[in-house]
Amino acid sequence: MDSLEFAVPTLFGLEGIAGDELRRMDMEDVRVENGRVRFRGDPNAMARANVCLRTGERVLLVLADFPADSFEALFQGVYHANLEDFIPKDGAFPVKGHCLNSRLMSVPDCQAIVKKAASRRLGEKYGLSWLPETGEKYQLQFSIMNDRVQLYLDTTGPGLHKRGYRAVGNDAPLRETLAAAMVLLTRYRGREFFWDPFCGSGTIPIEAALIAANRAPGLNRSFAGERFAWADATVWRDAREAAKAREFHGDYRILGSDNDPKCVSLSMANARKAGVASMITFRDGDATSMPLPAAEGILVCNPPYGQRMLEQRSAQRLYAEFGRHLRGAVGWKPYIITSEPEFEHYFGRRADRKRKLYNGMIQCNYYMYPGGKKK
C-alpha cells in the first residue's frame, strides 16, 4: 500500500484552494478537477489529509475507475476491484452514491448492483456464501458521471466540515470548510486585526483563529479510517503529533460581533469548544454603526442575503448602510460573500476581485477588496 489514489470532494469553487493545501502537505500527483482534487500517497498521507485539510469535504480512497453504460458493466467493474485488500471478512460495507448525466440514473438500482458485485467478490475471496458484516464499517461510495464510475472507500466518516465545535448554529450557518476558504483567500496569517461584523455562530472568527495558530482542524475528532484493519493506528497518532508540532503561539487580534446577543453567546460557546476562546473577542454591535475596532485590518463576513423579496430589500438596505459606514475606513480590507447580484451597487464600491462560491446550494459571489479603500 505504498501508493494509493485518493479523491477529495469540495464545495464548488474551492477545488484550487484544496489543491494548494494538499501541495503544501507535499502530497504526490495533486490534480484539481471539477468538484474534487485527486492525489496519491500511502496510509500516512491519508491520515495527514484527514487531520489537516481545511477546505476539503472528505478523503475518499479510489478503489476503481471504469466506464459503465449498463448494469452489467457496472457489476463487472466493481467485481474486478481488489476489495479484499481493504474490507476484511467481517467488515460491514454499506453502499451509497449518486448519478449524473449517465445512462445509469437510478441510484437505488446502482446501489443494489454495487452491493451485489462487492458481496460476490468478497464472498469468493473469503470462501463464504454469506458475509456476516458484523465488524467495523467500511462505507462504499460510487459516483457515476458521464457514464464513468468511480468506486470509493470513505476514510473520513462525518464530513471534514464537522470540526466538532459547532453542535448547533444560527438560522443561516456557514459551512466550516467555506469559512476557512474565505479566510485563506485573504492571506490572513495572524498579523493583522481580523473582524467579522456579522459573526452569527462564530464560524469565520473561529476558522481565522485556527489558521492564525496553524492548528489542524481535525485534531479533536475521530475518523472512519482509524478503525480500518489495514491502516496502522500509529499513522493517525503520528499525523496528530506532527500537526501539533507545527502550531504557532502568539497574541492575535480577532473580533466577532453581531447585533443579536444570542449569536454572540453562541459564538463564545463554540469558540470554547474549538479551544480558541482566548484568541477571539466577541461582543454585541451593529455593523452599520459601531465604531471600527482598529485603524486597519481584514474584514470577512457573511451578511444576511434575503432570499425572499421583502428580506432581499432589507438586505439591500443593509449593504448600502454598511458601505456608507465603511466609506472612510481607508485601512480596512473587506471580503464579503453574498448571493445579491447587485451587491457592488448597494455597497457603493466595485470589488477588486470576485470569486464564485456556493454556500450550500446558494450561488454566491465573494467580493474581495484586498487593496482596501482607496484614498
Side-chain angles (χ1 to χ4, degrees):
M1 292 189 183
D2 291 335
S3 183
L4 303 169
E5 184 166 11
F6 298 94
V8 177
T10 71
L11 298 176
F12 287 110
L14 304 192
E15 301 94 337
I17 303 171
D20 289 342
E21 284 195 87
L22 290 166
R23 292 186 187 96
R24 287 195 294 271
M25 293 181 206
D26 294 324
M27 299 301 184
E28 302 172 11
D29 193 19
V30 177
R31 288 155 289 153
V32 175
E33 302 174 357
N34 286 334
R36 67 185 175 189
V37 184
R38 292 200 185 206
F39 70 96
R40 300 193 68 87
D42 58 11
N44 293 281
M46 173 188 70
R48 292 203 328 272
N50 272 296
V51 170
C52 298
L53 260 178
R54 300 185 190 280
T55 59
E57 292 301 307
R58 58 184 64 248
V59 180
L60 302 172
L61 171 61
V62 181
L63 299 175
D65 187 337
F66 56 92
D69 58 5
S70 68
F71 287 131
E72 178 61 22
L74 175 61
F75 181 94
Q76 292 298 328
V78 174
Y79 176 75
H80 285 95
N82 296 329
L83 304 180
E84 67 279 3
D85 290 345
F86 304 100
I87 303 175
K89 185 185 298 186
D90 65 343
F93 52 101
V95 177
K96 62 183 179 181
H98 64 271
C99 308
L100 183 67
N101 297 332
S102 298
R103 295 187 189 183
L104 302 178
M105 288 300 292
S106 171
V107 171
D109 287 340
C110 291
Q111 283 178 294
I113 294 296
V114 171
K115 183 71 175 184
K116 182 179 179 180
S119 298
R120 181 174 296 182
R121 170 85 187 197
L122 293 170
E124 290 178 2
K125 292 298 179 179
Y126 291 126
L128 297 173
S129 59
W130 177 79
L131 294 165
E133 296 195 55
T134 55
E136 296 292 350
K137 179 180 176 182
Y138 292 77
Q139 178 70 61
L140 293 180
Q141 291 194 22
F142 64 86
S143 168
I144 306 178
M145 298 181 65
N146 300 314
D147 294 329
R148 188 156 195 94
V149 180
Q150 283 88 39
L151 181 66
Y152 305 116
L153 175 63
D154 180 13
T155 74
T156 300
L160 291 177
H161 69 278
K162 295 185 177 180
R163 319 284 207 219
Y165 64 74
R166 195 174 70 182
V168 293
N170 61 345
D171 291 337
L174 191 72
R175 185 167 284 204
E176 292 89 330
T177 45
L178 177 55
M182 290 165 58
V183 176
L184 289 172
L185 285 168
T186 72
R187 302 188 181 279
Y188 170 71
R189 295 295 182 271
R191 290 183 289 273
E192 298 171 272
F193 199 106
F194 187 97
W195 179 31
D196 177 4
F198 301 91
C199 70
S201 57
T203 307
I204 293 174
I206 290 171
E207 292 297 321
L210 293 172
I211 289 169
N214 200 35
R215 184 172 301 170
L219 280 178
N220 298 320
R221 56 158 290 176
S222 61
F223 300 94
E226 294 184 74
R227 297 180 290 278
F228 291 172
W230 51 269
D232 195 305
T234 59
V235 303
W236 298 92
R237 183 195 64 204
D238 292 347
R240 289 188 173 94
E241 289 180 353
K244 289 178 182 177
R246 291 192 295 270
E247 287 187 12
F248 304 142
H249 301 280
D251 295 323
Y252 304 106
R253 298 170 296 159
I254 303 174
L255 172 66
S257 60
D258 202 286
N259 64 355
D260 185 346
K262 291 181 181 178
C263 286
V264 174
S265 297
L266 178 59
S267 296
M268 294 172 69
N270 288 341
R272 286 193 293 270
K273 291 174 189 171
V276 294
S278 63
M279 300 169 58
I280 310 172
T281 299
F282 290 103
R283 66 169 180 249
D284 296 352
D286 185 333
T288 65
S289 60
M290 65 181 290
L292 299 178
E296 58 186 23
I298 294 174
L299 185 157
V300 180
C301 64
N302 173 40
Y305 302 163
Q307 293 299 298
R308 291 183 286 271
M309 183 60 71
L310 290 177
E311 292 176 348
Q312 185 178 17
R313 290 173 181 167
S314 177
Q316 290 165 349
R317 287 194 296 272
L318 174 65
Y319 302 150
E321 293 172 6
F322 189 43
R324 285 193 293 271
H325 185 54
L326 294 180
R327 192 162 292 163
V330 176
W332 281 91
K333 303 172 186 177
Y335 293 78
I336 303 167
I337 187 171
T338 177
S339 63
E340 170 56 58
E342 298 298 323
F343 169 79
E344 291 165 301
H345 167 73
Y346 294 104
F347 190 60
R349 292 166 58 187
R350 185 171 294 278
D352 298 326
R353 296 200 303 272
K354 287 191 296 186
R355 186 166 183 145
K356 186 183 295 184
L357 298 175
Y358 281 80
N359 184 3
M361 297 301 293
I362 304 173
Q363 181 179 313
C364 299
N365 277 311
Y366 192 37
Y367 296 91
M368 297 181 277
Y369 301 85
K373 176 71 174 178
K374 301 296 187 293
K375 293 184 179 180

